[in-house]
């Protein structure tokens, strides 16, 4: 069993080894595909029977380095952070590098009941293209002010129970709902902020993507660094992945009623999001990633799941790449097994708990280095001994997995999923976020409390609006996440496998 400290040490070592480019200038990106100031990629193109409305628009995507941050960027839905925490965000960046961030926190996963808002001011300086997370830009920030507005007496009491007595006595004791009170400035310490679990470490990693649609419109998205899934680590964690993106208030998806509400909000007038109509979903079928997805520790992948609700069986295909455009494949995993639905989540309304079992895994090496690594394993430890060839799939089940890849079979995990509708009323599947430290949710206490990027239904399902609340017992579906492969694979692929498959 590896400790979190050992995993972090290995990650640091591997990240250093990943610096293999020849870039010397501040904004020179250290990988071939991003040698210019802008990278281009087509949107994900699935097989004809798996076309989805957004995908088949053939969106052209650019990502400038350094990114242009000027403007206001807003949430497009109620966001869920590890904990869980429920919030909406509105961040404004000015040409002089100053920024103002509004974070509105809620008691519910629909963002209908505001608890408190944080007003954050500071400066950000873009530093250099990231050597670790390809396609991202590293940045540093300095806070000048953090203020809080509590929106009810009940919210004040909840905060008082979380904060240390010194913080409660000096600040919250005098707070009146609806009034702005300063929690931090350049002359004060950060004790109250840390007790809230607050930091702006997300500013340490930045990426802006612009999507040019065939009909002439464009959408701009701001990706900021991910939030550590361990509450005790979040205020010090240096991100290597992303949160769900914010969208530019002037260039966002349409329609987007949430965008308008968040844009017009203030510290004293938090947005109250409209309640989404409850929906009964027939979820058997195929679900796919909407974009090339990024995970902590230099992982780029797409996910492709098929579910059989009658047999409670699932299959997941994880296609891994070495670049943020998902254009350079490194390896593919095809996993399958069964699932059982549990109870509605006690922490996130509308979400349901599941238990998954992985019983079979097949792997495909997509390059000679991969095949060479797998052929170096001992007989009986990773598929057919010395039988790995590029592009040829091998079954890892007879050897109970693959030691060099950290895959052990069978394997059980405790999961969380939720269903929502997008702005076009199409279903989105949210799967539990993987632990940042690379561990596995292999026991109930490790069940996720936040989500990965949503997947879209591309075939085999339907939706129906309902007049009553969401009935999770009618949802016959499971899904899988991604988890880290042992760091040895990074030496070859420059990426990390995150999935159901690793046992530490």
């Amino acid at each position: 069993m590896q400790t979190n400290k050992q995993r972090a040490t290995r990650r640091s070592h591997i990240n250093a080894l990943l610096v293999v480019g020849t870039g010397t200038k501040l904004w020179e990106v250290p990988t071939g595909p991003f040698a210019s100031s802008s990278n281009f990629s087509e949107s994900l193109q699935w097989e004809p029977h798996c076309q989805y409305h957004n995908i088949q628009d053939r969106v052209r995507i650019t990502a400038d380095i350094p990114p242009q941050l000027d403007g206001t960027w807003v949430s497009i839905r109620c966001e869920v952070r590890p904990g869980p925490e429920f919030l909406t965000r509105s961040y404004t960046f000015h040409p002089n590098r100053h920024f103002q961030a509004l974070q509105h926190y809620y008691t519910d996963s629909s963002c209908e009941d505001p608890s408190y808002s944080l007003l954050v001011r500071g400066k950000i300086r873009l530093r250099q293209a990231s050597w670790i997370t390809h396609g991202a830009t590293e940045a540093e920030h300095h806070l000048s002010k953090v203020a809080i507005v509590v929106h009810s007496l009940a919210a004040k009491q909840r905060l008082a129970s979380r904060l240390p007595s010194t913080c409660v006595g000096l600040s919250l004791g005098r707070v009146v709902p609806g009034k702005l009170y300063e929690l931090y400035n350049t002359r004060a310490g950060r004790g109250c902020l840390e007790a809230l679990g607050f930091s702006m470490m997300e500013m340490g990693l930045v990426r802006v993507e612009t999507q040019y649609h065939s009909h002439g419109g464009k959408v701009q998205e701001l990706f900021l660094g991910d939030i550590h899934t361990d509450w005790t680590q979040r205020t010090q964690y240096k991100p290597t992945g992303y949160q769900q993106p914010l969208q530019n208030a002037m260039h966002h998806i349409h329609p987007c009623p949430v965008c308008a509400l968040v844009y017009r909000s203030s510290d004293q007038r938090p947005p109250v999001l409209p309640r989404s109509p409850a929906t009964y979903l027939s979820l058997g079928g195929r679900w796919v990633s909407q974009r090339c997805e990024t995970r902590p520790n230099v992982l780029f992948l797409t996910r492709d799941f098929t579910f059989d609700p009658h047999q409670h069986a699932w299959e997941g295909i994880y296609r891994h790449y070495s670049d943020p455009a998902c254009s350079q494949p490194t390896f593919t995993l095809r996993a399958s097994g069964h699932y059982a639905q549990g109870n509605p989540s006690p922490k996130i309304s509308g979400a349901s708990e599941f238990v998954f079992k992985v019983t079979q895994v097949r792997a495909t090496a997509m390059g000679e280095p991969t095949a060479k690594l797998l052929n170096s394993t001992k007989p009986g430890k990773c598929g057919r001994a010395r039988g790995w060839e590029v592009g040829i799939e091998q079954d890892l089940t007879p050897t109970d997995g693959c030691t060099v890849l950290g895959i052990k079979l069978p394997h059980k995990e405790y999961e969380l999923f939720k269903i929502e509708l997008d702005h076009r009323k199409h279903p989105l599947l949210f799967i539990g976020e993987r632990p940042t430290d690379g561990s596995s949710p292999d026991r109930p206490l490790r069940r996720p409390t936040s989500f990965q990027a949503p997947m879209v239904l591309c075939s085999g399902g339907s939706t129906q609006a309902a007049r009553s609340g969401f009935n999770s017992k009618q949802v016959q579906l499971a899904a899988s996440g991604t988890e880290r492969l042992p760091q040895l694979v990074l030496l070859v692929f420059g990426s990390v496998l995150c999935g159901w498959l690793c046992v530490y």
Side-chain angles (χ1 to χ4, degrees):
M1 298 284 288
Q2 286 184 307
T3 65
N4 293 346
K5 183 176 181 180
Q6 288 173 323
R7 279 191 289 269
T9 301
R10 295 187 69 187
R11 269 199 297 272
S12 299
H13 177 62
I14 298 303
N15 288 339
L17 292 173
L18 283 172
V19 184
V20 294
T22 58
T24 55
K25 298 180 181 178
L26 182 64
W27 294 111
E28 186 174 348
V29 186
T31 53
F34 299 93
S36 65
S37 63
S38 181
N39 66 277
F40 299 85
S41 66
E42 294 292 329
S43 62
L44 296 178
Q45 300 298 312
W46 302 103
E47 293 84 344
H49 67 280
C50 195
Q51 291 288 349
Y52 182 73
H53 295 280
N54 291 345
I55 294 174
Q56 61 183 327
D57 286 342
R58 293 195 65 84
V59 178
R60 183 172 64 92
I61 301 174
T62 66
D64 294 323
I65 298 180
Q68 301 299 314
L69 298 181
D70 295 356
T72 298
W73 306 81
V74 296
S75 301
I76 64 171
R77 63 174 58 92
C78 186
E79 301 180 17
V80 182
R81 283 184 172 179
E85 284 185 329
F86 312 113
L87 77 158
T88 58
R89 295 177 291 159
S90 176
Y91 292 2
T92 300
F93 296 88
H94 302 284
N96 61 0
R97 298 193 291 133
H98 287 266
F99 71 85
Q100 176 174 294
L102 269 174
Q103 297 181 349
H104 306 287
Y105 291 84
Y106 302 79
T107 63
D108 64 303
S109 60
S110 299
C111 290
E112 297 179 55
D113 181 22
S115 179
Y116 64 94
S117 297
L118 295 179
L119 173 64
V120 185
R121 289 178 179 155
K123 295 183 71 173
I124 185 172
R125 184 171 77 90
L126 301 178
R127 296 183 62 243
Q128 61 189 16
S130 174
W131 290 96
I132 298 175
T133 306
H134 298 172
T137 296
E138 295 178 357
E140 59 184 24
H141 73 280
H142 298 281
L143 299 182
S144 58
K145 176 181 178 179
V146 179
I148 188 171
V149 177
V150 177
H151 298 303
S152 68
L153 289 175
K156 177 180 176 179
Q157 293 172 353
R158 285 191 295 268
L159 286 172
S161 67
R162 292 171 53 186
L163 298 176
S165 57
T166 53
C167 185
V168 174
L170 293 176
S171 58
L172 282 182
R174 301 198 302 270
V175 166
V176 175
K179 300 295 183 180
L180 187 71
Y181 189 85
E182 197 167 89
L183 281 180
Y184 168 82
N185 57 44
T186 54
R187 301 179 302 279
R190 301 197 178 200
C192 293
L193 301 184
E194 293 179 357
L196 282 173
F198 169 85
S199 81
M200 292 300 289
M201 294 296 287
E202 61 189 286
M203 294 284 192
L205 199 67
V206 182
R207 177 178 171 89
V208 172
E209 289 187 358
T210 303
Q211 305 171 11
Y212 296 92
H213 294 260
S214 57
H215 53 70
K218 74 175 182 179
V219 173
Q220 287 187 308
E221 294 187 316
L222 170 62
F223 294 81
L224 296 174
D226 61 307
I227 307 299
H228 203 290
T229 54
D230 183 345
W231 182 277
T232 64
Q233 303 294 320
R234 65 191 302 177
T235 60
Q236 305 297 326
Y237 169 64
K238 186 175 181 180
T240 57
Y242 303 119
Q243 296 176 70
Q244 290 303 294
L246 303 174
Q247 292 196 359
N248 191 293
M250 299 295 104
H251 304 288
H252 57 75
I253 57 175
H254 291 282
C256 185
V258 172
C259 298
L261 290 172
V262 176
Y263 178 70
R264 292 196 296 263
S265 68
S266 68
D267 49 23
Q268 297 185 15
R269 298 193 313 275
V272 176
L273 303 194
R275 177 170 297 183
S276 300
T279 307
Y280 298 134
L281 303 174
S282 175
L283 294 175
R286 186 178 176 196
W287 299 77
V288 298
S289 299
Q290 296 185 90
R291 55 159 45 94
C292 184
E293 299 176 358
T294 303
R295 298 286 186 276
N297 305 306
V298 204
L299 171 65
F300 307 105
L301 80 159
T302 62
R303 296 172 293 155
D304 184 339
F305 297 146
T306 302
F307 303 97
D308 182 346
H310 302 293
Q311 300 296 324
H312 290 272
W314 67 277
E315 180 182 69
I317 302 174
Y318 310 86
R319 298 179 175 93
H320 294 260
Y321 304 84
S322 62
D323 67 300
C326 285
S327 63
Q328 303 174 41
T330 53
F331 61 97
T332 297
L333 291 177
R334 183 187 302 267
S336 59
H338 294 84
Y339 63 89
Q341 182 176 346
N343 297 318
S345 170
K347 296 182 178 180
I348 302 178
S349 177
S352 293
E353 297 180 343
F354 280 80
V355 178
F356 289 86
K357 190 172 185 180
V358 185
T359 56
Q360 186 176 52
V361 178
R362 300 180 179 91
T364 305
M366 304 302 290
E368 288 293 345
T370 312
K372 183 177 180 181
L373 171 70
L374 297 177
N375 280 326
S376 68
T377 59
K378 296 180 179 179
K381 297 296 183 181
C382 187
R384 191 171 68 254
R386 302 191 181 280
W388 292 95
E389 299 179 36
V390 176
I392 304 300
E393 186 178 72
Q394 266 225 55
D395 189 359
L396 303 179
T397 311
T399 54
D400 296 327
C402 178
T403 54
V404 72
L405 299 183
I407 299 172
K408 183 178 180 180
L409 296 172
H411 178 51
K412 180 186 292 185
E413 290 198 349
Y414 294 82
E415 256 298 348
L416 183 74
F417 80 85
K418 186 177 182 180
I419 304 299
E420 293 183 4
L421 299 181
D422 69 7
H423 64 293
R424 297 182 179 180
K425 306 303 180 184
H426 296 133
L428 298 177
L429 173 61
F430 290 83
I431 310 302
E433 185 175 5
R434 311 308 298 175
T436 306
D437 66 4
S439 62
S440 170
D442 55 2
R443 63 194 67 174
L445 290 178
R446 292 183 177 177
R447 193 185 302 273
T449 57
S450 55
F451 299 103
Q452 302 177 54
M455 303 175 73
V456 295
L457 179 65
C458 68
S459 65
S462 62
T463 65
Q464 260 190 337
R467 295 183 180 178
S468 59
F470 181 83
N471 184 352
S472 64
K473 291 299 182 182
Q474 294 192 1
V475 178
Q476 299 295 324
L477 175 69
S480 147
T482 54
E483 177 183 308
R484 186 177 60 91
L485 272 178
Q487 305 292 358
L488 178 59
V489 181
L490 265 175
L491 295 168
V492 181
F493 305 115
S495 62
V496 185
L497 169 64
C498 290
W500 291 87
L501 312 172
C502 305
V503 178
Y504 295 91

